[in-house]
Amino acid sequence: MNNPDIESAVEPSPEVFTAEQLALHPEQVSRHAITVLKHLRRQGFEALLVGGCVRDLLLGLEPKDFDVATDALPEEVHANFRSARIIGRRFRLVHVRFGREVIEVATYRGRGEDEDAQDSTVSSSGRLLQDNVYGTRDEDAMRRDIAVNALYYDPLDGLVYDYHDGITDIRSGILRMIGEPALRFREDPVRMLRVIRFAAKLGFNIEERALESIDHLAHLVAGVPPARLFEEVLKLFQSGFGVATFEKLRQHGLFAILFPDTDRLLGTEEAEFPRTFLPLALANTDRRVQSGRPVIPPFLFAVLLWEPYRELLDEYIGRGIGEYEAIHHAAGVVIERQVGRVAVPRRYTTQVREIWEMQFFLDGMRKRHAFRLLDNRRFRAGYDFLILRATVGQASEACADWWTRIQEVDDTERRQMINSLGGPKAGKRRRRRRPRRQASNG
Ligand code: ATP
Ligand code: MG
């Protein structure tokens, strides 16, 4: 079974605009992308810019990266560039590297595709599991997801090819699926996350048909391979539009699929107050990204899973489990449940645990922990997290201020600050009382 909408439809002939009409200038395009286009053209191939870079240029935004579409086969592209690498098992793409910039070159595809599937045929939910047929540009335009993502720009000739009224949509700020939304979402449920992400980033409206389909089909995202969802979650929340994305995902039932434990708690109050930590933390993350600072994946997941972790920790402590053990187990359980849906790699979950664990010691402000915390490689992430907690009243202002100040003072004053904390003198031998443990002695 294939997508009848796509199969039977006559391939459209594109509307052609001049770059001048659309106020596009070749100097806006990365010179490396131009090199790739020129080179392929010289070999007699067709090659154009496509996707997010064309959309973003038309909106006056700076493209994240430049994608090229061509009728050259991956092997042919590969043979033409010394720095080219073929990637992907099923649908093969070519990455052409120029220093730190990578130009992604994709051969025109014939029908719909699903990046991660390995077997042929269609799954019970209608997902396309294999399709590796190369096609023409007209066919390629049909299998793209959204009209504004299916604009082809040839900066050498100064022409834009518009197959699905994408220019009209750019002007009116609308995201319209190519073909029947329900079919396109069944083929690849990640498209639901993509359309939400673009709506948040561009401030565009999603067409009504697509919104209705999302409300019916959100559950299909649960069937997407967890490794792919991990990549998508990063794109959703590292974009600098995390709050808007979060709100839209929640509104359409998609956040509940990605983060079921967190979503359940967000609907509840805590001591008669709504839970504001997550939106506040995401707003903070957005400010970071917008000022050019990175947000590392472990910090993001520490934020996204904080509520369920804290809930479980409280429950364990309430049951009389010792603090260290409660911390360890609560983190383990929450992470274990989450990675079944979104495959956060082990190297990151280890850091998520560290960030959470540090909160306990930062709150405690004990003499014997202070130096060790300051020396911890992840101290900065732990400290940033503490500040977020302080802004919603989960950590005391005095504690947050103390940790801020200690990073600003010289060594002598630092020692004084630490020595005036509770507990034995820092640097002196001390007899340590072991924290109360439950199961570890038995
Ligand atoms: P950005 O790079 O800004 O996140 P983009 O639109 O370029 O946005 P990419 O993931 O780089 O997104 O994909 C490039 C293009 O490939 C898209 O614009 C779209 O035309 C097509 N595409 C990507 N993913 C899919 C998909 N799941 N289904 C259909 N088409 C897709
Ligand atoms: Mg892109």
Side-chain angles (χ1 to χ4, degrees), residues 51-52 55-56 64-65 67 113 143-145 149 188 191 194 197-198 201 228 235:
R55 175 197 70 215
D56 290 351
K64 225 174 56 192
D65 42 42
D67 296 326
E113 109 285 14
R143 67 97 197 159
R144 293 190 178 266
D145 53 355
N149 283 351
D188 181 5
R191 290 174 184 148
R194 288 176 54 85
R197 171 159 66 90
F198 296 131
K201 168 179 161 174
R228 185 164 178 221
K235 289 187 196 170

Side-chain angles (χ1 to χ4, degrees), residues 61 83 134 347 427:
L61 304 171
S83 63
Y134 298 116
R347 64 179 187 285

